[in-house]
Amino acid sequence: MILLIPICLLLLVIVAGVYRFSLSDEEILQKFPDRASVASDPVVEAVLGISTKNPWTIKVPESNAFSLLTDVDEKQQIAYGNYDDGQVRGQVTVHYAYLHQWQGSDKNSVFIAPFSLSNQGSGIFYYLGIFKWDTQRQRVILVNQQFVGDRISLGEITISQSKIRLSYLTYGPSQPFSESPEQRETLSCNLLAEQELIC
């Protein structure tokens, strides 16, 4: 009799899992009326020019949290959203002024753009992100990222075939954070199979 309760709970979890994975993303979004009425996600459409109901989400590096990009600042050319990872809260910002796009070998668009992560601490951590448009799921996904630095000033991104160069200013060893960064650096990476960064 005691074993009957765990077996029933296990069967209930299996049935719930089968039900969840038998539904498409659109059917799930219809269960949330505020999202179902959205014709197109405004962030994805404004930044990438792609019409989709699915929002742009980014997995926060070194965390299990996800950030939903909810706002666009056209003047600064950034898209941003908040995240909550238990006691740590913060904001993810995609700097789309530096965004580059090209057609991947599988006919899916690949986007390269820096994004930054800020939390309750004093740092603003910058990453070089590789995003991909998944035509099957109709959403933008982060497929890879490379840490660039803390509180840097972005320069420019140049791409030649599969070589990516990001120039930026960072703080020197004896430079205080109260000043603007002055030391020039360049991050050079090779993009393999349109998703793996070798830097």
Side-chain angles (χ1 to χ4, degrees):
M1 184 64 177
I2 294 178
L3 290 176
L4 186 61
I5 293 173
I7 291 172
C8 290
L9 288 174
L10 179 63
L11 288 174
L12 183 66
V13 168
I14 291 171
V15 168
V18 168
Y19 173 74
R20 160 52 187 108
F21 289 109
S22 67
L23 297 175
S24 69
D25 289 341
E26 288 77 24
E27 291 171 323
I28 293 171
L29 286 174
Q30 286 176 353
K31 295 184 182 295
F32 301 96
D34 59 327
R35 292 296 302 172
S37 63
V38 174
S40 180
D41 183 75
V43 174
V44 176
E45 190 164 23
V47 175
L48 304 176
I50 298 173
S51 179
T52 181
K53 289 183 178 181
N54 295 321
W56 189 346
T57 58
I58 297 178
K59 184 179 182 312
V60 177
E62 300 177 24
S63 167
N64 292 322
F66 282 85
S67 174
L68 176 70
L69 299 184
T70 55
D71 297 294
V72 174
D73 184 333
E74 292 180 4
K75 185 176 180 182
Q76 295 185 50
Q77 293 187 300
I78 59 173
Y80 56 94
N82 296 325
Y83 73 92
D84 185 346
D85 187 19
Q87 295 181 352
V88 179
R89 293 186 178 134
Q91 186 177 69
V92 174
T93 303
V94 174
H95 303 267
Y96 69 85
Y98 302 93
L99 184 128
H100 286 267
Q101 173 183 0
W102 79 82
Q103 197 73 19
S105 60
D106 59 357
K107 303 296 185 214
N108 288 341
S109 293
V110 177
F111 305 95
I112 297 174
F115 67 95
S116 59
L117 172 68
S118 61
N119 53 30
Q120 293 132 325
S122 60
I124 301 175
F125 305 100
Y126 284 79
Y127 294 83
L128 179 63
I130 306 298
F131 301 92
K132 196 168 190 178
W133 171 248
D134 185 346
T135 54
Q136 183 178 4
R137 295 185 179 136
Q138 295 289 298
R139 67 178 55 199
V140 180
I141 55 173
L142 175 66
V143 293
N144 207 333
Q145 78 271 339
Q146 173 65 43
F147 178 70
V148 180
D150 179 15
R151 291 177 266 191
I152 65 169
S153 176
L154 294 168
E156 66 175 349
I157 295 179
T158 56
I159 299 174
S160 175
Q161 297 174 341
S162 63
K163 297 187 185 309
I164 304 166
R165 291 174 55 91
L166 170 63
S167 63
Y168 60 96
L169 297 175
T170 188
Y171 290 90
S174 60
Q175 186 182 5
F177 282 115
S178 60
E179 300 175 357
S180 296
E182 297 174 349
Q183 183 174 321
R184 255 181 219 291
E185 295 285 341
T186 301
L187 175 69
S188 298
C189 300
N190 289 323
L191 181 61
L192 303 178
E194 297 163 3
Q195 62 184 10
E196 186 179 352
L197 280 172
I198 305 296
C199 300

